[in-house]
Amino acid sequence: MTSFIAFISALCQVFLSIAMSLGMVAGPANDAPIVFQDSENVNMSCVLLSDTHIRDTAFSPYYLDCAFEDIKNSEEKFDALVIAGDITEFSDLGSFELTWKSIDKADCFDHVLLASGNHDIRFLYEDCTAYLMQMQEKYLGTQIDKPYYSYDVNGYTFIIMGSDAWQFEKAVISDEQLAFIDSELARATKDGKPAFVVCHQPLAYTHGLPEVWPTGDLGEQSDELREILTKYENVFYINGHLHDGIYERSLEVLDEEKGVYSVNLPAFGKGNDEGKYNQTGLGAYMEVYDDEVVFTSRDFAHGKALDGYTRSFELK
């Protein structure tokens, strides 16, 4: 079976080479490089992707390579890469390894933060969670023994969530994880800095749920998590899962007075179902300043800026 998969993977690469030579598949453009709002004063920046759905018998790693090439074509320097789950399609070791190799080869980021999605734990939950922990240890240099953790980049805290047990689509968030998120948010926001909570699934009743997907939310702990998020100021909940494309409803206000928002990322590795821009290879990048956070949507795989999809939020 392993040799058969290797053969199919090699065959895909041949087809990809032919498609590229015929102009059927294009690499990243150079005419619209990434430009920060204020490169001199940005405190922290990161690329935000979700639903890369890497498969070792498909073209999906190519799109990831193109995205990293687009980032290299820019003069801007990103501190971190964040992938909000569904890193792989089938939670197989080969696809995880392709992801690691693509990130390694690109050498674009000082920090790599990965959240697990339902596709990443769909088969053999314990083994797949262990793969992700090994990846985090490799890139962060720290031992992570749970599917959730927090990590500071340039003094700003990312809280990475992960399901504590197997679920086919939703997540299972333990009381221990909820308490951890509460405690970390208290620490991270006490001096007025923003904090970023990353989870694959969106909260219930956000981003068009349940109409767009009756079972597409986080799960039973959604209301409890929302209560925790809205206890604090300047909190950004970042999710994927919905394959929504670039759309007005990509942003949801959870508590305007406290500055708590939910940001839904488009699928990177698959076409998106709805939205005003639905190409493969979409994501966003984030700039954090003293008094604001800026999100800009981008077609990374094709090197395209998307006019009208930059949102700025003043900090409380």
Side-chain angles (χ1 to χ4, degrees):
M1 177 61 74
T2 302
S3 59
F4 176 74
I5 292 175
F7 170 75
I8 295 298
S9 180
L11 191 61
C12 284
Q13 296 306 309
V14 171
F15 284 139
L16 177 58
S17 298
I18 294 171
M20 290 174 65
S21 66
L22 295 175
M24 298 168 60
V25 179
N30 295 308
D31 56 347
I34 298 166
V35 178
F36 288 168
Q37 179 175 281
D38 184 356
S39 302
E40 295 289 326
N41 294 300
V42 63
N43 296 328
M44 188 270 288
S45 61
C46 67
V47 170
L48 302 169
L49 305 180
S50 186
D51 298 89
T52 47
H53 289 281
I54 299 298
R55 290 152 285 170
D56 67 358
T57 57
F59 294 159
S60 53
Y62 168 75
Y63 290 108
L64 198 56
D65 290 342
C66 284
F68 295 147
E69 191 65 29
D70 177 41
I71 292 163
K72 287 182 176 181
N73 286 339
S74 166
E75 294 184 1
E76 308 292 3
K77 174 70 172 67
F78 285 99
D79 298 301
L81 168 67
V82 179
I83 303 181
D86 278 6
I87 301 160
T88 67
E89 176 72 5
F90 300 116
S91 62
D92 59 294
L93 181 56
S95 296
F96 279 115
E97 288 177 343
L98 274 179
T99 309
W100 313 160
K101 288 177 182 177
S102 184
I103 295 170
D104 246 348
K105 179 175 65 176
D107 194 26
C108 293
F109 313 98
D110 293 331
H111 311 278
V112 179
L113 310 178
L114 305 174
S116 61
N118 55 292
H119 277 261
D120 299 316
I121 62 171
R122 183 165 281 177
F123 309 105
L124 300 174
Y125 170 83
E126 297 291 343
D127 290 345
C128 297
T129 302
Y131 294 155
L132 285 168
M133 291 178 186
Q134 291 166 15
M135 175 63 169
Q136 300 297 44
E137 183 176 0
K138 176 178 180 180
Y139 281 98
L140 302 182
T142 56
Q143 183 68 46
I144 295 168
D145 59 2
K146 293 182 174 63
Y148 57 90
Y149 61 95
S150 71
Y151 189 83
D152 287 4
V153 178
N154 295 3
Y156 296 93
T157 299
F158 287 85
I159 301 169
I160 308 298
M161 296 179 60
S163 184
D164 285 298
W166 180 88
Q167 272 277 24
F168 190 72
E169 294 289 354
K170 297 177 183 287
V172 177
I173 308 301
S174 64
D175 290 342
E176 180 184 17
Q177 183 171 173
L178 289 172
F180 173 81
I181 295 166
D182 197 352
S183 174
E184 286 299 291
L185 282 175
R187 176 189 65 81
T189 61
K190 62 182 176 62
D191 296 324
K193 286 186 175 182
F196 308 96
V197 180
V198 181
C199 182
H200 181 60
Q201 291 91 344
L203 297 170
Y205 305 105
T206 61
H207 308 296
L209 293 172
E211 286 79 10
V212 297
W213 187 355
T215 60
D217 60 65
L218 174 71
E220 293 182 9
Q221 291 78 37
S222 180
D223 290 345
E224 293 177 76
L225 178 60
R226 185 171 186 145
E227 287 182 12
I228 292 170
L229 298 175
T230 53
K231 285 172 61 176
Y232 304 99
E233 292 184 338
N234 302 319
V235 175
F236 294 85
Y237 182 82
I238 298 168
N239 68 266
H241 192 51
L242 295 182
H243 293 232
D244 238 4
I246 305 296
Y247 209 52
E248 285 87 350
R249 68 174 178 226
S250 297
L251 174 81
E252 190 84 18
V253 179
L254 302 181
D255 190 320
E256 189 166 14
E257 184 176 343
K258 291 184 176 180
V260 183
Y261 304 95
S262 177
V263 178
N264 176 48
L265 299 172
F268 177 89
K270 287 185 174 181
N272 293 277
D273 297 327
E274 296 189 41
K276 295 192 174 180
Y277 193 89
N278 293 321
Q279 294 293 323
T280 299
L282 304 183
Y285 59 92
M286 179 176 73
E287 307 157 58
V288 181
Y289 298 92
D290 288 341
D291 56 358
E292 67 177 335
V293 176
V294 181
F295 292 89
T296 302
S297 298
R298 184 171 178 84
D299 181 345
F300 287 103
H302 302 91
K304 292 184 179 180
L306 304 177
D307 293 337
Y309 292 101
T310 296
R311 299 294 299 270
S312 177
F313 303 93
E314 291 186 7
L315 298 177
K316 304 298 180 181

